[in-house]
């Protein structure tokens, strides 16, 4: 009986220490890139002339992101899982929530095709749906970073994770395995006549015993945006954050 108890204790201890090893093994690990080539610089507007510089993943993972600077808003969708590898750029040039241009970059053919009737391809309703899904981080058809608005709403309930900006807030989350390491951050502010800011940054994910950077770190990047949907969304997020934040 004693022998069985000893064996059981040894097995339990071995499992316990193996779990510690797994959880602590991400400490100090380098962040591994998911990109084969290309780069997305959030502050640089994506246009037809530079869309061929966008990231191509090392795997066959899809991605999607929202960019809005001034009056111009872009949805970018990267499809790599099946069929031809293609990146699609959907653009509203003047902030009226109507799509002005849709362009496909067929990567393997190194060809850019422009859709002749962009609103037929993506009408206002669909364009708004894309924005909403990317901001929420949840979609049946797109592949945005999952740590979107729902995760932000969890974080703002802990005041220590929130800091005040001049016209808004910054919210952040550190690595649970290494508390000194910033993993996710959110910025949002209402700048009045200068538009709104909204940025969701995911630096990396903990995957098994490593750290992996997503293909797109900024799934949402809006700077001085006049987009009506984004403006309304930022105002709501600020009001909700105020319920939990205190100086």
């Amino acid at each position: 009986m004693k022998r069985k108890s000893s064996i059981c204790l040894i097995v339990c201890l071995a499992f316990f220490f193996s779990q510690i090893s797994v959880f602590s093994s991400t400490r100090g690990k380098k962040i591994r890139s998911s990109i084969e080539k290309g780069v997305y610089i959030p502050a640089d507007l994506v246009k037809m002339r530079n869309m061929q510089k966008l990231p191509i993943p090392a795997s066959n993972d899809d991605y999607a992101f929202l960019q809005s600077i001034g009056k111009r808003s872009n949805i970018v969708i990267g499809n790599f899982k099946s069929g031809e590898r293609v990146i699609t750029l959907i653009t509203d040039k003047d902030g009226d929530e109507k799509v002005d241009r849709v362009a496909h970059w067929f990567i393997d053919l190194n060809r850019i095709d422009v859709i002749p009737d962009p609103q037929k391809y993506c009408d206002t309703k669909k364009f708004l749906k894309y924005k909403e899904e990317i901001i929420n981080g949840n979609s049946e058809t797109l592949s945005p970073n999952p740590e979107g608005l729902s995760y932000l709403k969890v974080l703002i309930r802990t005041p220590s994770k929130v800091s005040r900006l001049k016209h808004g807030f910054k919210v952040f989350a550190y690595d649970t395995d290494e508390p000194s390491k910033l993993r996710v951050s959110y910025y949002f502010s209402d700048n009045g006549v200068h538009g709104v800011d909204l940025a969701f940054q995911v630096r990396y994910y903990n995957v098994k015993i490593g750290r992996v950077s997503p293909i797109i770190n900024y799934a949402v990047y809006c700077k001085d945006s006049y987009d009506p949907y984004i403006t309304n969304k930022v105002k709501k997020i600020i009001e909700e954050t105020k319920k939990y934040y205190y100086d």
Side-chain angles (χ1 to χ4, degrees):
M1 186 72 177
K2 286 184 178 179
R3 186 180 176 186
K4 285 185 179 179
S5 298
S6 298
I7 292 171
C8 183
L9 178 61
I10 290 168
V11 169
C12 289
L13 286 171
F15 176 77
F16 174 74
F17 286 114
S18 71
Q19 291 301 100
I20 291 177
S21 176
V22 167
F23 288 128
S24 63
S25 59
T26 59
R27 288 177 175 270
K29 290 278 186 179
K30 277 189 169 184
I31 299 173
R32 185 161 49 88
S33 173
S34 302
I35 298 172
E36 179 186 309
K37 62 179 180 179
V39 65
Y40 169 50
I41 301 172
D44 292 347
L45 272 167
V46 179
K47 298 184 179 181
M48 275 182 57
R49 66 170 179 265
N50 62 9
M51 67 183 293
Q52 288 170 299
K53 295 179 180 179
L54 287 168
I56 297 172
S59 62
N60 61 347
D61 292 327
D62 294 341
Y63 64 76
F65 65 86
L66 165 64
Q67 179 193 52
S68 183
I69 300 175
K71 291 186 176 181
R72 189 183 186 107
S73 295
N74 291 322
I75 298 288
V76 176
I77 303 168
N79 289 310
F80 300 92
K81 282 183 180 173
S82 60
E84 290 186 279
R85 298 190 301 169
V86 59
I87 294 176
T88 300
L89 171 62
I90 305 171
T91 300
D92 167 15
K93 292 182 180 180
D94 49 16
D96 63 356
E97 300 192 301
K98 292 181 180 179
V99 174
D100 297 299
R101 175 173 289 171
V102 177
H104 299 299
W105 171 32
F106 294 96
I107 295 162
D108 299 314
L109 299 175
N110 195 25
R111 187 186 78 209
I112 294 178
D113 289 355
V114 179
I115 300 298
D117 189 350
Q119 288 187 43
K120 189 174 181 180
Y121 178 89
C122 183
D123 60 17
T124 297
K125 186 177 179 181
K126 189 175 182 180
F127 194 51
L128 287 171
K129 187 169 183 276
Y130 281 161
K131 292 177 198 174
E132 184 178 13
E133 290 178 337
I134 292 172
I135 289 174
N136 288 340
N138 185 15
S139 173
E140 293 180 359
T141 56
L142 303 179
S143 298
N145 288 356
E147 288 175 315
L149 186 59
S150 57
Y151 187 47
L152 170 59
K153 286 184 175 182
V154 171
L155 294 177
I156 63 174
R157 292 171 180 266
T158 306
S160 61
K161 297 184 184 296
V162 182
S163 61
R164 202 63 161 97
L165 301 175
K166 188 175 182 181
H167 300 296
F169 294 92
K170 174 186 175 182
V171 182
F172 41 86
Y174 289 89
D175 194 324
T176 53
D177 294 337
E178 195 168 350
S180 64
K181 215 163 186 64
L182 184 65
R183 195 183 67 78
V184 182
S185 56
Y186 303 83
Y187 303 82
F188 44 97
S189 64
D190 181 355
N191 308 317
V193 296
H194 300 294
V196 298
D197 299 337
L198 182 66
F200 295 175
Q201 182 190 25
V202 178
R203 298 189 177 198
Y204 63 89
Y205 300 113
N206 287 325
V207 180
K208 294 183 180 178
I209 59 170
R211 291 177 171 144
V212 180
S213 174
I215 303 163
I216 302 296
N217 295 104
Y218 282 90
V220 176
Y221 183 86
C222 310
K223 178 65 177 172
D224 298 331
S225 171
Y226 292 96
D227 183 291
Y229 175 81
I230 296 167
T231 299
N232 185 52
K233 182 64 71 175
V234 168
K235 290 177 185 293
K236 286 182 177 179
I237 296 171
I238 289 174
E239 288 307 309
E240 188 163 353
T241 305
K242 285 178 180 178
K243 294 177 185 177
Y244 304 99
Y245 178 79
Y246 54 84
D247 292 313

